[in-house]
């Protein structure tokens, strides 16, 4: 995770109370398709192929409640990495 520039404030776990106003990744018990991976595959190859090939992730945004793989989370949320 350190290779992707994650900080502890951007990556939460189930122990957090979830009351933050900040978009952070929270580990979820189920694995669903990454929104960005699915969207890109759907545009390129169609829905049926996207359903089979999209990355499944256990990470969910605490505010949006959408599932993301770690790398796509930053693409969709446009964080400023120069901190």
């Amino acid at each position: 995770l350190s290779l992707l520039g994650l900080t502890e404030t951007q990556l939460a776990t189930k122990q957090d109370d979830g009351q933050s106003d900040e978009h952070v990744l929270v580990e979820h018990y189920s694995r669903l398709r990454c929104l960005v991976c699915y969207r890109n595959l759907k545009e390129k190859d169609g829905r049926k192929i996207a359903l089979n090939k999209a990355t499944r992730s256990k990470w969910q945004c605490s505010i949006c409640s959408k599932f993301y793989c770690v790398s796509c989370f930053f693409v969709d949320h446009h964080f400023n990495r120069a901190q």
Side-chain angles (χ1 to χ4, degrees):
L1 294 176
S2 63
L3 295 174
L4 296 171
L6 285 176
T7 63
E8 289 184 20
T9 59
Q10 293 168 332
L11 184 64
T13 61
K14 290 181 181 179
Q15 290 79 25
D16 292 340
D17 60 1
Q19 300 299 317
S20 174
D21 291 337
E22 208 174 306
H23 290 260
V24 293
L25 287 174
V26 179
E27 189 172 2
H28 196 266
Y29 62 89
S30 64
R31 290 175 30 145
L32 296 177
R33 287 175 194 86
C34 168
L35 176 72
V36 177
C37 291
Y38 176 80
R39 186 186 314 145
N40 293 339
L41 283 168
K42 182 180 164 191
E43 288 176 9
K44 181 180 166 193
D45 299 324
R47 184 184 66 86
K48 286 186 178 183
I49 293 175
L51 286 171
N52 291 327
K53 290 188 175 181
T55 305
R56 294 192 176 257
S57 178
K58 64 181 178 178
W59 298 105
Q60 184 179 31
C61 179
S62 62
I63 303 293
C64 306
S65 297
K66 297 175 184 175
F67 282 79
Y68 295 96
C69 58
V70 176
S71 57
C72 289
F73 177 71
F74 292 103
V75 171
D76 207 41
H77 284 79
H78 310 291
F79 284 110
N80 182 6
R81 290 188 183 198
Q83 293 179 345

